[in-house]
Amino acid sequence: MTGLRVRHRRTVALDSVDLDFGTGVHGLLGPNGAGKTSLIRVLATVAEPAGGRVEILGHDIGDHRRRGAVRRHLGYLPQDFGYYPGFTVREFVAYVAWLKEMPADRVPAAVERAVARVGLADRIDAKVRGLSGGMVRRVGIAQAVVNDPRVLLLDEPTAGLDPEQRVEFRELLRELGASSTVVVSTHLVEDVAAACTEVTLVDAGRIAYRGTPASLAALGESAGGPGDHPIERGYTAALRAHRAPDERTESTTRTEPAARTDRPSASGGTAR
């Protein structure tokens, strides 16, 4: 991404972002409304940027003719993904494989493998509408990985998963990140600490911090402050450091009128 800008009506969601992701698991952290979902939606080619350039797997996605080639190699799980409740798990994941233009002879085995990877092999022929919320989320992960994507985009993927399932999911992330680019938006520090090779902190549409989980934890150890985990403390310290220049600017702006109150006016009196 170079100079990426995203707008939602009058709101700037991402402001001139320069960022690149390589092989590995990249965690996106940030407050609600920081721009994480906007970033993932642009990478998933479901949202148009207002400016800048985005290149995925050597293709400029600003060129509509290139998007099909990109989408065949993408996996995407949005926060709220749509599905057909009357489909079985097998049917739904196979349908997504068809949308991704996978060769028909590869689909059955790919579907079974994807469903097994998320621990739903015993429910593969169950209707999606009969599954629990956590199971539906795992179906969403299965459809995202069915094509063994070179770029995998996951927005809050562990929402609704129990602790044991989250541990298994992190193992899957590490496996996928060995050969693919995985971008995960999450609020869970333990996901970042256990699975991510790199962390990007987004705040108010800009990049506030970028480094490894270990470096963010080290920042937290040195900064101290609130938080039960060093990464939580590092997260807070990085946000405060990023916001400090703006806060100083706002403070200066607020004091400017007071600094001018005793300046002589053109008539020789005092301006008030």
Side-chain angles (χ1 to χ4, degrees):
M1 289 153 273
T2 305
L4 177 62
R5 287 178 57 83
V6 177
R7 297 184 65 89
H8 300 310
R9 296 182 181 177
R10 297 183 179 181
T11 302
V12 177
L14 292 171
D15 186 10
S16 301
V17 170
D18 297 331
L19 195 59
D20 64 280
F21 296 117
T23 302
V25 183
H26 306 268
L28 279 182
L29 291 174
N32 291 330
K36 304 185 300 297
T37 292
S38 295
L39 176 58
I40 286 184
R41 283 175 55 80
V42 168
L43 294 179
T45 73
V46 298
E48 292 274 359
R53 176 185 173 91
V54 180
E55 185 177 295
I56 301 177
L57 301 175
H59 299 284
D60 181 355
I61 64 171
D63 184 344
H64 290 256
R65 296 168 298 178
R66 300 290 188 91
R67 292 186 183 178
V70 171
R71 287 169 176 164
R72 284 192 287 272
H73 299 286
L74 282 180
Y76 174 45
L77 174 65
Q79 280 184 309
D80 299 304
F81 80 99
Y83 58 90
Y84 296 105
F87 278 23
T88 65
V89 174
R90 185 193 303 273
E91 290 168 340
F92 178 69
V93 178
Y95 171 66
V96 175
W98 174 76
L99 290 177
K100 295 179 180 183
E101 300 180 356
M102 291 183 63
D105 60 341
R106 287 180 46 205
V107 170
V111 168
E112 292 193 2
R113 180 167 179 260
V115 173
R117 290 172 108 177
V118 299
L120 287 177
D122 61 335
R123 305 303 298 271
I124 194 168
D125 290 313
K127 298 283 188 182
V128 178
R129 65 181 169 216
L131 302 179
S132 67
M135 288 182 179
V136 171
R137 199 65 181 162
R138 284 189 275 163
V139 173
I141 297 169
Q143 63 81 28
V145 303
V146 67
N147 60 329
D148 289 322
R150 293 174 61 188
V151 177
L152 178 61
L153 308 166
L154 304 168
D155 199 354
E156 298 294 345
T158 55
L161 301 186
D162 64 36
E164 182 181 8
Q165 292 162 358
R166 287 203 298 271
V167 169
E168 293 171 350
F169 173 70
R170 291 176 206 142
E171 292 176 356
L172 176 59
L173 281 186
R174 288 191 291 268
E175 175 189 335
L176 294 168
S179 57
S180 303
T181 299
V182 183
V183 182
V184 185
S185 172
T186 181
H187 284 94
L188 296 176
V189 165
E190 53 266 37
D191 287 346
V192 172
C196 295
T197 53
E198 188 174 53
V199 182
T200 300
L201 175 56
V202 183
D203 183 41
R206 297 183 178 181
I207 305 304
Y209 178 88
R210 197 163 190 213
T212 63
S215 65
L216 187 59
L219 177 63
E221 293 283 13
S222 62
D228 297 326
H229 191 285
I231 289 182
E232 288 182 340
R233 294 192 288 274
Y235 169 91
T236 301
L239 280 181
R240 288 175 176 173
H242 178 251
R243 294 168 179 172
D246 291 336
E247 292 171 356
R248 286 196 295 269
T249 299
E250 291 173 5
S251 176
T252 301
T253 302
R254 286 194 298 268
T255 60
E256 281 177 355
R260 293 196 296 266
T261 54
D262 294 327
R263 186 177 59 205
S265 69
S267 62
T270 301
R272 295 293 181 189

